[in-house]
Amino acid sequence: MKKIILTMAAVFALSFANAQDLKSKKGENYLPEAGDWAIGFNANNLFSYAGNLFSNAGTNTIGNVANNGWEGTFVGKKFTSATKADRYLVDFGVNTGSTTTPASTTQSTKVTNSGFNLNLGLGKEWRKGKTRLQGFYGADLVLGIKSSGSKTEYTDSNNSANNTTTDTKGGLEFKVGARGFLGAEYFLFPKIAIGAQYTYNVMIDVAGASKTTTTNVLGSTESKGANSFGLGIGNVGVASMNLTLHF
């Protein structure tokens, strides 16, 4: 995070001399206008990569953007005026895969995991500032759904009586809530900005009971977990560094 902040500070410093110029040499507006659309991306890894270029961090790669919670969220905006925008949030992820670990030439364990999450949100954004450095604030209403499961298969080719399959299905999880946000962004180029935001979340999380089925030579047995309910308040922090494109 320190490298990200230092990299952004260097970019701001290099561009500060032109902070009052709201049009490019071609006459293009730097700031968004009524009717503009915008799409925002998580740029944490990009800033980390840029920061590592100026350090001795060793191997430097962009890596993958996390897609859990709201860190990998895609944000769309429709500007109703130069200082107001409607926000549309989507965070969707699917996870599936398996690994097989041989214990010997005749015994192995295969673990298969699967799951998905879908988060949707609607919000309002207000903006302040008369230069290329713009502040923004607002709130989003969010709704999410998530499921997960895993299967473990133990196989013994010498003795099939030892074969066991354990199948666990997580209870369907729902969450609903709101988050306020406050941040700033700088327009490096016409309609292209980088920025960061702080968030404050209020979230209700309800999950159904999980079910585990174990199957072996003796038959199948089932066990159930418990339902859960959670209320989360807070989690203040830098949600992400963002790259936003307007058109």
Side-chain angles (χ1 to χ4, degrees):
M1 181 58 69
K2 182 179 178 181
K3 292 176 182 177
I4 293 175
I5 293 174
L6 290 175
T7 302
M8 291 187 67
V11 172
F12 290 159
L14 290 172
S15 305
F16 185 75
N18 296 320
Q20 301 297 331
D21 186 3
L22 301 183
K23 287 184 179 291
S24 70
K25 294 180 179 179
K26 296 181 180 180
E28 302 167 311
N29 290 323
Y30 274 88
L31 305 182
E33 305 166 86
D36 281 359
W37 284 88
I39 51 176
F41 306 91
N42 182 296
N44 286 357
N45 292 355
L46 177 61
F47 286 115
S48 293
Y49 180 84
N52 288 336
L53 289 176
F54 300 99
S55 69
N56 296 319
T59 302
N60 191 17
T61 60
I62 290 291
N64 296 320
V65 175
N67 192 27
N68 54 355
W70 287 94
E71 294 182 19
T73 302
F74 165 86
V75 180
K77 302 179 188 180
K78 174 64 182 296
F79 282 82
T80 56
S81 73
T83 58
K84 297 179 183 178
D86 297 327
R87 289 164 54 95
Y88 308 93
L89 289 73
V90 177
D91 179 14
F92 177 71
V94 176
N95 174 45
T96 182
S98 64
T99 58
T100 301
T101 306
S104 66
T105 57
T106 60
Q107 298 173 330
S108 66
T109 300
K110 180 180 179 180
V111 178
T112 303
N113 294 304
S114 62
F116 84 94
N117 69 281
L118 173 64
N119 297 311
L120 300 173
L122 292 174
K124 290 284 187 179
E125 178 179 302
W126 291 266
R127 307 178 68 84
K128 298 286 289 183
K130 297 180 180 180
T131 68
R132 286 158 59 179
L133 179 61
Q134 298 272 295
F136 60 87
Y137 61 94
D140 300 317
L141 296 177
V142 296
L143 176 67
I145 184 172
K146 180 180 180 181
S147 73
S148 61
S150 66
K151 178 186 287 188
T152 301
E153 300 170 276
Y154 174 76
T155 303
D156 186 343
S157 60
N158 284 338
N159 187 355
S160 60
N162 293 331
N163 294 350
T164 303
T165 299
T166 302
D167 191 0
T168 300
K169 298 185 182 299
L172 199 60
E173 181 179 346
F174 296 93
K175 62 182 178 181
V176 61
R179 67 173 190 174
F181 58 87
L182 174 67
E185 59 185 9
Y186 187 85
F187 285 81
L188 292 174
F189 307 103
K191 306 297 179 75
I192 300 177
I194 58 172
Q197 69 177 25
Y198 287 83
T199 60
Y200 190 91
N201 301 309
V202 179
M203 197 72 62
I204 295 174
D205 195 315
V206 180
S210 62
K211 182 176 73 172
T212 300
T213 303
T214 302
T215 304
N216 53 33
V217 69
L218 300 177
S220 297
T221 59
E222 289 187 358
S223 62
K224 288 188 175 182
N227 297 328
S228 66
F229 173 85
L231 174 63
I233 300 176
N235 298 322
V236 179
V238 176
S240 64
M241 301 294 179
N242 306 311
L243 172 65
T244 306
L245 309 178
H246 304 73
F247 50 90

